[in-house]
Amino acid sequence: QVQVVESGGGLVQPGGSLRLSCAASGRILSVGSMGWYRQAPGKQRELVATIDTDDSTRYTDSVKGRFTISRDNAKKMMFLQMNSLKFEDTAVYYCRFFVIPFSGVSANYWGQGTQVTVSS
């Protein structure tokens, strides 16, 4: 059974930093693309950043220059370093792995979500 667990959320003041972590475990042969998403109350979930198997990255304009997505393939982990946080970054953040299992169909797996609150 594939499991995805994320952590690192919390309360931070404007201008502060947080690092989110996400780990996949189980009967996994390898992982493909990865991404971070967020959803604020009453708003639609949006893509924050993605990182592909060749380490190419993409970011939504609102976080460019402030957030950095990275991955550790050996540990089957991904990270989101968030700097210069703003009130508008407050949301529940979700990670996503594209998982290639030893058997079965490859698919996207999602973390449980972690709350990030930016407040003074």
Side-chain angles (χ1 to χ4, degrees):
Q1 184 80 280
V2 175
Q3 299 181 65
V4 177
V5 179
E6 60 181 284
S7 62
L11 176 64
V12 64
Q13 294 184 349
S17 298
L18 285 173
R19 190 182 78 151
L20 306 184
S21 300
C22 190
S25 62
R27 300 173 183 176
I28 299 170
L29 176 63
S30 63
V31 293
S33 68
M34 305 176 186
W36 286 96
Y37 303 74
R38 66 186 181 186
Q39 186 169 25
K43 297 183 178 180
Q44 193 170 5
R45 185 168 66 179
E46 66 172 343
L47 174 67
V48 176
T50 61
I51 184 166
D52 213 336
T53 54
D54 62 356
D55 284 337
S56 62
T57 58
R58 300 181 68 180
Y59 299 89
T60 190
D61 287 342
S62 63
V63 308
K64 282 185 176 179
R66 300 189 298 120
F67 291 10
T68 303
I69 187 171
S70 60
R71 61 190 287 164
D72 186 331
N73 291 332
K75 296 181 179 179
K76 297 182 178 64
M77 295 186 69
M78 62 181 298
F79 308 92
L80 184 68
Q81 178 66 47
M82 304 184 294
N83 298 325
S84 302
L85 284 161
K86 304 175 180 179
F87 294 119
E88 301 79 51
D89 296 318
T90 296
V92 177
Y93 285 70
Y94 299 89
C95 62
R96 173 193 59 80
F97 286 91
F98 186 76
V99 174
I100 300 91
F102 280 101
S103 62
V105 180
S106 299
N108 285 304
Y109 284 80
W110 293 81
Q112 80 282 5
T114 185
Q115 177 70 48
V116 173
T117 302
V118 184
S119 177
S120 60

